[in-house]
Amino acid sequence: TIRFALPGGFSVEYLPEGSNLKSCIGEYSTQINREEGSIEFIREIKIDRGLYAAEHYDEVRAFFEKMVKADGVKAVLVKE
């Protein structure tokens, strides 16, 4: 969990949606909350232990690509 303090004189104009991903290797989720004077970002990842067959390569790769994309979302702040 990370909490970002908003700079003085700024407010949130746009906050992205959280995400939920499930794959043969595990689960990933984010939640983004607006709080008084701050933004809270909650990230959870659960990777199942094990070896994965070559035929799962595309699914595993897609899972990590989607996870990187979800980590890169941006909020928009505006000066009041």
Side-chain angles (χ1 to χ4, degrees):
T1 301
I2 299 172
R3 183 168 285 123
F4 299 95
L6 297 176
F10 282 83
S11 63
V12 176
E13 180 179 72
Y14 169 76
L15 207 55
E17 295 288 324
S19 60
N20 289 299
L21 305 173
K22 291 187 180 187
S23 169
C24 67
I25 66 165
E27 300 176 14
Y28 167 88
S29 67
T30 62
Q31 183 179 349
I32 305 168
N33 303 311
R34 182 185 321 210
E35 296 186 0
E36 185 66 36
S38 67
I39 299 171
E40 181 183 56
F41 181 78
I42 302 168
R43 178 183 191 252
E44 295 182 56
I45 184 168
K46 177 187 157 216
I47 302 293
D48 299 328
R49 297 179 86 180
L51 299 174
Y52 304 99
E55 57 264 13
H56 293 291
Y57 174 79
D58 289 338
E59 183 179 357
V60 171
R61 181 181 170 131
F63 177 77
F64 282 102
E65 287 174 348
K66 289 176 185 175
M67 194 169 62
V68 168
K69 185 176 179 181
D71 282 344
V73 297
K74 294 177 175 46
V76 176
L77 305 179
V78 292
K79 193 165 186 145
E80 297 176 330

